[in-house]
Every structure is written in C-alpha cells, then in structure tokens.
Amino acid sequence: MSGLDEASQAQSAPVAPILPTTHSLPEQPLVIIEPRRSWLSVNLRELWAYRELLYFLTWRDVKVRYKQAAFGAAWAILQPLFLMLIFTLFYGRLAGIDTGAVPYPLFAYSGLVLWTFFASAVTNSSNSLVGNANLISKVYFPRMIVPAAAVCACVVDFVLAFLLLVVLMFYYGVAPTESLLMLPVLVVLTTLFALGVGTWLSALNVKYRDIRFALPFIVQLWLFVSSVIVPSTVVPEKWRWLLAFNPMSSFVEGFRAALFGDAFDRRALVVASVIMLAVLLYSALVFRRMERDFADLI
C-alpha cells in the first residue's frame, strides 16, 4: 500500500514547466533591406528571381477578366470589330478616306488590333497597384511585377484579335510578304511602350487617384492622333513631323507596313524607339522612388 501511496503522490505532484531555450541575438542583422544606390533603378536579378510570380499573376488576371462573362474571351475580338464597323461607316463610306490598295475595313482593323492592345495594357496596368492593395501591403516582392503582369495578360487578347485579322487578310486577298518578319519586333516595341506608360501611371495612381478618371479620356484622345483611323498622309506635310513624337503613330504605321508589304518609315521608327526607351527608363526611376510609400498610401 505504501508503494501505491507514493505513486499517487508522485502523479499528483506539480510538474515544473519546461522553459524554452534562450538564444542570443546576433550583434549585426542578418538581412538589410535598403534602397539601391546604383544608377540602374531596376534590379533585374530580383525580377528574374520572381518570374514565377509574374506568370501566376498574369494567368490570374486572364481568368478574372472573363470570369462569369457571357461572351468570355470573345470580347477581345468584339471590341476592335465593332469599332472597325463604325469607322468603316463614317470614315470609309461617308468621308471616303483614301487608304490606297488596302480596303478600309482591313486598314482600320489592323490599326485597331495594335491600338486596343496598347490601350487595354495601359489602362489595366495603371490600376493594377490599387487593385492589388491587399497583396502589396502584406507580402514583399518586386512591385514592378504587378503592372508587368497586367500588360502580359493583355497579350492574350491581342493574339485572339490577331486571328480575326488573319481571316480578314485572307478574305480580301492580301498575301503576306517578307516584311512580316518585322511584326514581332513592332509588337515587342509596343509592349515595352505600354509597360513604360502603365508603370508610370500605376505609381502616380497610388498617390493621385484622379488618374483613373482622367485616363479613359486621355486614351480616347490619343486614338485620334495615332494614325489608327486615318493614314498619316491625310495630315498636311508641314505638320506631319509632329507625328514622330507619338510613338504609337509610328508603331501602328509600321505594323501595317509589316502586314501589307509597304515601305517602312525607318526614321519615324527610330525616333519612336528612342522615345519608348526614354519613357521606360523614366517610369522605372519614378516607380522605384515612389515604391517605398506604396504600402502606406495604398
């Protein structure tokens, strides 16, 4: 019996808590996060390390855009198609705009395919940071990936709309030439220009929410000065040099030249490419300077 009493007393005795083992903190921090002081404002190595995040954000934007939409991805074709029909009625039939050997419907749609891609990319990327406020305020990653994913998502719409352009070229009997090799180059230039403009506006939109209201109006005005509706030859020759300062006008004209085998305006394309690079570098610089305040302002 005494053994049982001793066992019961041992079980009822309080158990001393196990204290966690204390570890001494290092004298110096293991990781230091500080702004880059290099002349190169973008950390390309860091962006490459997060390339999988760019893919997943792009795919998420594509799925969300057409979720619960009755027509789904067909909206990527319907928007430039209906604009082409309207412009054909007013400018092709009523105004009688001369587009040379290319029928006006094909002329208008070829410009609208590239322009719709650019306008959608700029609009979506400019609102991308505000739309991902919860993600930006909780997790660290290169913020520039957010507007870049919005631009990449619009590439899917461009590919779908381009398929109808191929059908129209076959319908009107327009055969491609060796100039078609310049087509990917012009698409890349337009994508980089959209990325530059969209990245800059996305940073400004975090601080100044007026951007989201003014941007649709600006994009509409931009359409009429980008050689989408009418060719650049309609503009008087003494004022035609002003179109060189609008990269989209040169890219749209070059896009048509690549499709229809016309001569390229190399000087205009060079000027447009230089402006595109300047906009891209400037937007990256502004974005990196404002990035540190995104989590507080958003």
Side-chain angles (χ1 to χ4, degrees):
M1 295 294 294
S2 61
L4 294 175
D5 293 339
E6 292 177 356
S8 61
Q9 292 176 0
Q11 292 178 357
S12 61
V15 180
I18 301 176
L19 298 178
T21 305
T22 59
H23 297 279
S24 60
L25 296 176
E27 297 180 358
Q28 300 294 333
L30 299 179
V31 179
I32 300 177
I33 301 177
E34 59 183 2
R36 293 171 56 87
R37 301 183 182 277
S38 173
W39 64 272
L40 185 62
S41 58
V42 180
N43 191 343
L44 298 178
R45 181 177 299 178
E46 186 181 33
L47 292 176
W48 175 253
Y50 284 86
R51 61 189 181 276
E52 293 185 0
L53 179 61
L54 175 63
Y55 168 77
F56 286 114
L57 289 179
T58 301
W59 184 240
R60 183 207 61 178
D61 290 345
V62 172
K63 293 192 297 183
V64 169
R65 182 179 307 170
Y66 300 115
K67 186 178 181 180
Q68 297 181 349
F71 291 97
W75 284 110
I77 301 176
L78 292 177
Q79 182 178 356
L81 177 61
F82 281 115
L83 286 176
M84 181 265 289
L85 294 176
I86 294 174
F87 292 155
T88 300
L89 176 62
F90 287 96
Y91 292 94
R93 298 291 178 86
L94 299 180
I97 299 297
D98 183 18
T99 56
V102 180
Y104 186 85
L106 184 58
F107 172 88
Y109 189 82
S110 60
L112 285 169
V113 167
L114 193 66
W115 171 258
T116 305
F117 162 65
F118 172 78
S120 300
V122 170
T123 303
N124 294 336
S125 59
S126 63
N127 297 318
S128 59
L129 292 178
V130 177
N132 292 274
N134 294 331
L135 182 63
I136 291 175
S137 60
K138 294 179 180 179
V139 183
Y140 172 77
F141 61 93
R143 308 304 192 217
M144 198 172 291
I145 287 182
V146 177
V151 173
C152 293
C154 294
V155 176
V156 179
D157 295 347
F158 171 78
V159 173
L160 295 176
F162 187 81
L163 295 178
L164 181 57
L165 178 60
V166 175
V167 175
L168 289 176
M169 291 180 63
F170 178 79
Y171 175 79
Y172 285 106
V174 178
T177 63
E178 64 275 3
S179 300
L180 197 66
L181 297 176
M182 277 292 296
L183 199 66
V185 178
L186 292 165
V187 174
V188 171
L189 292 176
T190 305
T191 304
L192 293 177
F193 186 52
L195 178 61
V197 177
T199 301
W200 176 55
L201 292 177
S202 66
L204 294 180
N205 194 26
V206 173
K207 189 174 182 180
Y208 308 102
R209 299 303 170 89
D210 306 83
I211 298 296
R212 61 185 303 180
F213 301 106
L215 184 59
F217 175 69
I218 295 175
V219 170
Q220 289 178 0
L221 292 180
W222 203 340
L223 168 65
F224 291 95
V225 295
S226 298
S227 300
V228 176
I229 304 174
V230 295
S232 59
T233 53
V234 175
V235 181
E237 189 173 357
K238 64 178 181 179
W239 302 110
R240 200 174 300 170
W241 61 273
L242 292 173
L243 295 176
F245 294 96
N246 178 13
M248 280 309 300
S249 181
S250 300
F251 293 155
V252 169
E253 292 278 352
F255 188 77
R256 289 197 183 102
L259 288 172
F260 308 138
D262 299 332
F264 291 98
D265 190 347
R266 298 184 179 182
R267 179 179 300 178
L269 288 176
V270 170
V271 173
S273 301
V274 171
I275 295 176
M276 180 273 296
L277 289 175
V279 170
L280 190 63
L281 293 176
Y282 176 76
S283 63
L285 179 61
V286 172
F287 191 93
R288 292 291 292 178
R289 287 184 176 179
M290 299 181 65
E291 185 179 9
R292 66 187 67 181
D293 299 326
F294 284 168
D296 298 328
L297 296 174
I298 207 168

